[in-house]
Amino acid sequence: MIKYDRLWDTMKQKGVTKYKLTHEYNFSKALIHKLMHNQIVSLYTIDRLCNILDCDIEDIVTQYRD
C-alpha cells in the first residue's frame, strides 16, 4: 500500500499549501482529494510534487507491505 503521509509534513516545511498547489501549480481539487485519501496517482504527479517541493520521493511517499 502506498501512503502520502510524508507529503503533508514536507509541504509544511517548504511552505506549500493545498491552496498553492491548486492555484499556482494547477493541481485539481480531485487530485488533492486522491492524495489526502491515499488513492492512486500517476508517477507524473509524484514527479511534479518532488520538483515543486525540491525533495526526493521518500519525502512524499511511504510504501507499506500488505
Side-chain angles (χ1 to χ4, degrees):
M1 171 179 264
I2 300 293
K3 290 193 177 184
Y4 307 103
D5 46 359
R6 294 182 182 175
L7 170 61
W8 314 112
D9 291 332
T10 302
M11 284 175 55
K12 187 174 183 178
Q13 291 172 0
K14 302 287 183 163
V16 176
T17 62
K18 293 176 207 170
Y19 180 88
K20 195 171 189 176
L21 285 179
T22 57
H23 290 88
E24 289 187 28
Y25 297 104
N26 299 317
F27 279 63
S28 69
K29 290 181 181 182
L31 181 56
I32 301 294
H33 178 83
K34 284 183 174 186
L35 291 165
M36 290 174 62
H37 291 91
N38 298 310
Q39 295 176 349
I40 296 170
V41 298
S42 70
L43 283 176
Y44 174 76
T45 298
I46 301 299
D47 183 53
R48 280 186 66 202
L49 286 167
C50 288
N51 288 320
I52 290 166
L53 298 170
D54 189 31
C55 67
D56 296 320
I57 194 169
E58 297 87 13
D59 298 324
I60 294 176
V61 177
T62 305
Q63 185 224 1
Y64 295 94
R65 301 204 185 269
D66 293 332

